[in-house]
Amino acid sequence: VHTNTIGILVGHDPYRTSVSCPYEAEKKKLWVWGVAGGLCALSAMARPSMLLFAALLAAAYLWRVRFTKRAMPIVVFVLAMMVVHAPISIRNVRNGGSAVLVTASGGANFYIGNRAGASGIYDEVNFIATYDAPTEAEGYRLEASKRLGRNVELQEAAEYWQREARRDILGNPGEWIALELKKLWWTIRNEEQANNLSFEGVRSFASV
């Protein structure tokens, strides 16, 4: 899905183009990889899981070219991502006090998806007042601070929620395995499971 999206946006499928063309043709299309890397970085600002796709793409391409000099497109791809991400990371260090690459929401997201009683999709918890992104992140930080008995920053709060989720997983591995199988089923089925926004609602303002 991500590869097709990038291909549509830049007018090419960068993976397919660079793998199938001769080396000289690949060099002429380095700008495609640069644009794709920049778009991946921009997408990761909203969905950090995009970084996992980028890593898989890089690994697949390097495996395909056997780590030869034809690896230059993926170098351009990674460098473009780094250039786009650099201002965000610098801002996180200055304002948040920690070197967070994109966002510090990974711990809360991991907790939502793997805690005891999780449904496998986005779930609301009783200690969050409202669910717009800034308020939700602050709610998880405040709850972590409350449970730890001291004020914590977003990064430390994220680490706390990761620990909580791992404790639930290890406390009842059978329940967690069943949860992962449910997620797998929702992944491969033809109908996508709606979470905090219905598809009918989206159709009212988006024609795609």
Side-chain angles (χ1 to χ4, degrees):
V1 174
H2 292 308
T3 305
N4 290 338
T5 301
I6 293 172
I8 291 170
L9 290 172
V10 301
H12 295 273
D13 181 337
Y15 177 75
R16 185 177 302 164
T17 299
S18 296
V19 169
S20 60
C21 291
Y23 178 58
E24 291 302 320
E26 288 178 16
K27 289 197 297 184
K28 295 178 181 179
K29 297 186 183 299
L30 290 179
W31 69 270
V32 177
W33 284 89
V35 172
L39 290 172
C40 273
L42 290 173
S43 178
M45 294 181 193
R47 295 292 181 185
S49 57
M50 186 67 173
L51 296 175
L52 176 60
F53 159 74
L56 291 174
L57 174 63
Y61 185 85
L62 290 173
W63 175 260
R64 188 69 177 267
V65 300
R66 297 296 189 269
F67 299 89
T68 63
K69 64 180 181 180
R70 294 177 64 188
M72 182 55 66
I74 213 66
V75 173
V76 173
F77 177 80
V78 173
L79 286 176
M81 290 191 66
M82 293 173 64
V83 168
V84 173
H85 272 303
I88 306 167
S89 299
I90 293 171
R91 181 262 178 196
N92 288 340
V93 172
R94 289 180 176 178
N95 294 359
S98 56
V100 178
L101 180 62
V102 184
T103 69
S105 61
N109 289 335
F110 186 70
Y111 177 77
I112 291 170
N114 296 279
R115 64 185 174 87
S119 66
I121 60 174
Y122 179 82
D123 281 327
E124 298 180 353
V125 290
N126 57 14
F127 53 81
I128 302 295
T130 60
Y131 286 88
D132 59 282
T135 304
E136 183 178 16
E138 180 65 7
Y140 275 99
R141 188 192 70 80
L142 291 174
E143 182 65 18
S145 298
K146 178 181 176 181
R147 296 187 184 188
L148 291 170
R150 56 186 172 82
N151 187 56
V152 298
E153 298 297 333
L154 286 172
Q155 178 63 22
E156 189 174 357
E159 294 169 356
Y160 169 80
W161 293 114
Q162 286 179 349
R163 290 195 301 270
E164 288 294 288
R166 288 196 296 267
R167 185 183 67 178
D168 288 347
I169 292 170
L170 295 175
N172 195 338
E175 179 180 320
W176 180 75
I177 291 172
L179 174 64
E180 296 307 294
L181 291 174
K182 182 191 293 186
K183 293 177 187 177
L184 176 62
W185 165 242
W186 279 339
T187 300
I188 64 177
R189 64 183 295 191
N190 291 330
E191 181 182 355
E192 187 174 354
Q193 182 72 26
N195 46 38
N196 59 334
L197 185 63
S198 71
F199 298 116
E200 289 74 16
V202 172
R203 291 192 189 101
S204 68
F205 59 83
S207 59
V208 179

